[in-house]
Amino acid sequence: MTTASPTRRLRRPTVPTWYSLAQVTGPRQALWARGTDHTRWAKCGVDWDAVAITPLSLGLDALVGLGLGAGSGYPVLADRVRGILYVLVPAGDGGIAAAVPGVRTLTRGDELLMPCTDHGTPSAHWVSPPRAAVPLLAPAGRLAAQLQDLVADRRRAVTS
């Protein structure tokens, strides 16, 4: 006679969210404190432009609203010192978002501080690192429209 083993509950793998990826965890802080991180200046406007979004939460809300997979490899950086989220978009397209309040674009002639290690630094760490030699870039037009809608919603909420 064989005995049946107790049924184990299988845990489903958790799907990361933009907010969970951007969270500053204890292990990340410990890596930053060790000082083994490196950054470099990267030229914008060649392979990509960067859309700099302040506050960081506005950028995360926009990424959620766009429905871009948080674990899909869209390159997104955070500057925790200044509270800025950087979303990489196709070169030449960053200007589409320039008119949105709280948004600045980095394009040809600008440079962005990029992490050279997985954990980066408090002023330049990957929320979502690129996963391929040719990274997925966020669609600038859709990002700009989503940001514009969020800014308008926030203004309405403040005035009501």
Side-chain angles (χ1 to χ4, degrees), residues 6-77:
T7 304
R8 281 198 218 167
R9 282 192 128 178
L10 296 177
R11 287 188 180 183
R12 289 186 179 170
T14 58
V15 177
T17 66
W18 286 107
Y19 275 90
S20 66
L21 291 175
Q23 200 171 35
V24 178
T25 61
R28 179 173 283 162
Q29 288 176 323
L31 287 169
W32 290 344
R34 274 192 220 138
T36 58
D37 41 7
H38 302 285
T39 56
R40 67 178 171 81
W41 289 102
K43 293 184 184 214
C44 303
V46 178
D47 296 320
W48 44 263
D49 287 351
V51 176
I53 307 163
T54 308
L56 194 135
S57 61
L58 175 64
L60 293 172
D61 287 346
L63 292 171
V64 169
L66 286 176
L68 301 178
S72 299
Y74 288 94
V76 176
L77 295 133

